[in-house]
């Protein structure tokens, strides 16, 4: 997306069939002269897709030094254990303190409940091979887990990739965190916002634990000089009036809220 002699930032496109439909996610990869930082790791089983994405950017996967996890959801932490196992060197894993026990497996992921597992089973097509079905259900019942080495705190600036400012943006999950990349004026929103049909949108209501808090959180983004937003679902959004778009989202939610 942007690059100079000190950093580069790239949005990845990771696409795969999930429960019978094609799903594309957009992790972010940032580099400087000493570090390669991946933000979020996709679903379980997607490691080969990430390695291919690195290769397209001519970045060796074994140069990865840091992984930042924005929050606990399966499509963000799913690839973490495999990446740590595959990598020849130690990788520093960074996350919010609230999300840490979920990522490490001490607590069950908040959105994976007995009810949600039964709903997932009901949605699976009968044409899906039994082995795949069993593996999918097992993943839900026993989500991937991996250690978190470093805690990131609200408004902290991580000295990585040209400067990454931590923005706690709870609501989608209790410890959801977004990041502002100073050098490129890019907001890495995680699931705090989406791009839907080319327009900036709030988080998915049916996947957000506290929608009111989530909408309050995105108002924090207007404190930063943003030229581009990378949304994990929907991709990149560029606009000269991003602050106005965010304000409009919050206002519309306030109007529509029951």
């Amino acid at each position: 997306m942007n690059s100079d002699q000190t950093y580069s930032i790239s949005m990845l496109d990771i696409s795969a069939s999930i429960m019978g439909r094609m799903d594309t996610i957009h992790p972010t990869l940032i580099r400087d002269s000493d570090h390669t930082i991946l933000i979020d790791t996709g679903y379980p089983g997607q490691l080969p897709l990430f390695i291919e994405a690195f290769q397209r950017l001519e970045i060796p996967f074994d140069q990865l030094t840091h992984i930042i996890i924005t929050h606990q959801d399966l499509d963000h932490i799913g690839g973490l254990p495999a990446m740590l196992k595959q990598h020849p060197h130690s990788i520093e894993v960074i996350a919010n303190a609230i999300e840490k026990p979920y990522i490490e497996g001490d607590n069950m992921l908040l959105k994976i409940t007995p009810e949600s597992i039964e709903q997932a089973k009901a949605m699976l097509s009968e044409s899906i091979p039994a082995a795949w079905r069993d593996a999918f259900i097992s993943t839900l019942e026993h989500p991937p887990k991996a250690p978190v080495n470093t805690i990131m705190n609200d408004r902290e600036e991580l000295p990585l990739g040209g400067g990454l400012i931590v923005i706690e943006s709870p609501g989608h999950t209790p410890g959801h965190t977004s990041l502002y990349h100073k050098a490129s004026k890019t907001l890495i929103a995680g699931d705090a916002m989406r791009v839907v049909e080319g327009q900036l949108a709030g988080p998915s209501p049916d996947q957000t634990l506290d929608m009111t808090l989530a909408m309050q959180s995105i108002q924090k983004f207007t404190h930063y000089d943003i030229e581009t937003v990378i949304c994990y679902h929907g991709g990149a959004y560029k606009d000269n009036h991003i602050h106005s778009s965010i304000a409009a989202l919050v206002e519309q939610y306030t109007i529509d809220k029951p």
Side-chain angles (χ1 to χ4, degrees), residues 203-223:
S204 173
D206 61 348
Q207 294 295 320
T208 299
L209 297 176
D210 187 332
M211 192 67 182
T212 297
L213 179 58
M215 297 306 292
Q216 292 171 351
S217 290
I218 69 173
Q219 295 183 77
K220 293 183 179 181
F221 302 153
T222 61
H223 300 157

Side-chain angles (χ1 to χ4, degrees), residues 110-131:
L110 289 172
K111 296 175 191 174
I112 298 183
T113 64
E115 292 77 17
S116 69
I117 292 174
E118 289 305 314
Q119 290 173 0
K121 289 179 180 179
M123 292 174 61
L124 292 174
S125 169
E126 293 182 359
S127 62
I128 294 176

Side-chain angles (χ1 to χ4, degrees), residues 126-155:
E126 293 182 359
S127 62
I128 294 176
W132 190 97
R133 177 190 178 94
D134 292 344
F136 175 75
I137 298 303
S138 178
T139 298
L140 293 181
E141 294 175 340
H142 308 283
K145 57 185 178 180
V148 173
N149 310 115
T150 303
I151 298 300
M152 58 182 174
N153 299 297
D154 193 30
R155 293 179 289 184

Side-chain angles (χ1 to χ4, degrees), residues 31 36 54-55 58-64 87:
R31 297 194 84 195
T36 300
F54 275 58
Q55 290 173 340
E58 299 183 346
I59 298 173
F61 180 75
D62 63 8
Q63 290 185 5
L64 184 63
H87 206 272

